[in-house]
Amino acid sequence: MSGRIVVLSGGVGGAKLALGLAHAVDPKDLMIVTNTGDDFDHYGLRVCPDTDTVLYTLGDVADRERGWGRADESWRFMETFRALGGADWFNLGDRDLALHVLRTARLRGGETLSAITADIARTLGIAAAVIPMSDQPVSTHVETTGGPIPFQHYFVREQCAPVATGFAFEGIAEAAPNPALLEALEAGPRAVLLAPSNPFVSIDPILALPGLRDRLRACGAPVVAVSPIIGGRSIKGPAAKMMAELRMPVSPAGIARHYRGLIDGLVIDEADRALAEEVRAIEPEVTVAQSVMRSLDDRIALARCMIDFADGLSAKGSP
Ligand code: FO1
């Protein structure tokens, strides 16, 4: 089968799957749409974490332990910044800082985030298309029992401790889906994949873009998700905690319910094989596979599993 694979991505899980996909298909047939709801201005610098995690991962310069920022990093800026009284809850490595300074200057010069991101991808030798979900700013706020908190304050400064009651995506009504994404959907992709990212703060901001859900439904390609919840937990990040706080089942069934009406199939992990029938009652098309990605081979295997699953759904005539 030929045609474009479009993947919606946020966080570490999204970047891992993106890397597997870049090895599983011809990268020129791959479009990675990155969540920009995590983006924020920090001391005048525009920081775009979910886009940068994909750029660094596909560019093979990502730090492996932290899951964000660059490998082979130094922290001289932060040392001095802290000594001068700067707030040090959000760490900017020296190499990472170069990207934030350059991107901020180019944005101020009137360039679009898409154009800047494409240039950086090129300099990192990335052949796949890496595109931000929108060129207009969207700012995710986590609504908590103590009031709304900007995402990075929730995730980094408060270490995800506040109790989540909901989410707001400031600017979403004025944000247009990336035109390159709309073109890819219009052209009829081979598949649309939802990465094992946080459904609330990584995938939902993308799906909330005006008109995008309708375009996804109308694109003629299967939409396949993979559960980020495995054995009642999220591999990384606050997805499980958020589901529990929202009184949702912390399970693939909760994920199936969250994406019901949008997806045509759901991949769940081997650890949840016993739950497959329960999930099928919500989402009939379910595939059980290893979805924990430890090695590059794991990333490639999950990518191939999702593509094969989608191709199978296309052959069956669904959607
Ligand atoms: N996450 C942290 O937990 N602590 C940090 O100091 C931190 C700095 C940082 C700098 C650049 C960047 O692109 C990401 C950074 N992150 C940090 C991760 C970031 O908060 C998350 O990657 C996303 O926003 C959630 O996926």
Side-chain angles (χ1 to χ4, degrees), residues 11 38 47 49-50 52-53 68 89-92 96 100 151-152 155-156:
D38 291 9
V47 180
D50 283 353
D52 293 353
T53 299
W68 50 268
W89 60 272
F90 194 80
N91 292 284
L92 294 169
D96 193 33
H100 305 313
F151 179 76
Q152 292 301 337
F155 186 83
V156 182

Side-chain angles (χ1 to χ4, degrees), residues 84-121:
L84 293 172
D88 62 357
W89 60 272
F90 194 80
N91 292 284
L92 294 169
D94 299 332
R95 292 182 186 280
D96 193 33
L97 191 57
L99 171 51
H100 305 313
V101 169
L102 191 63
R103 172 166 45 214
T104 303
R106 292 181 65 174
L107 286 169
R108 284 213 189 105
E111 293 185 74
T112 64
L113 188 58
S114 292
I116 299 164
T117 304
D119 266 359
I120 293 158

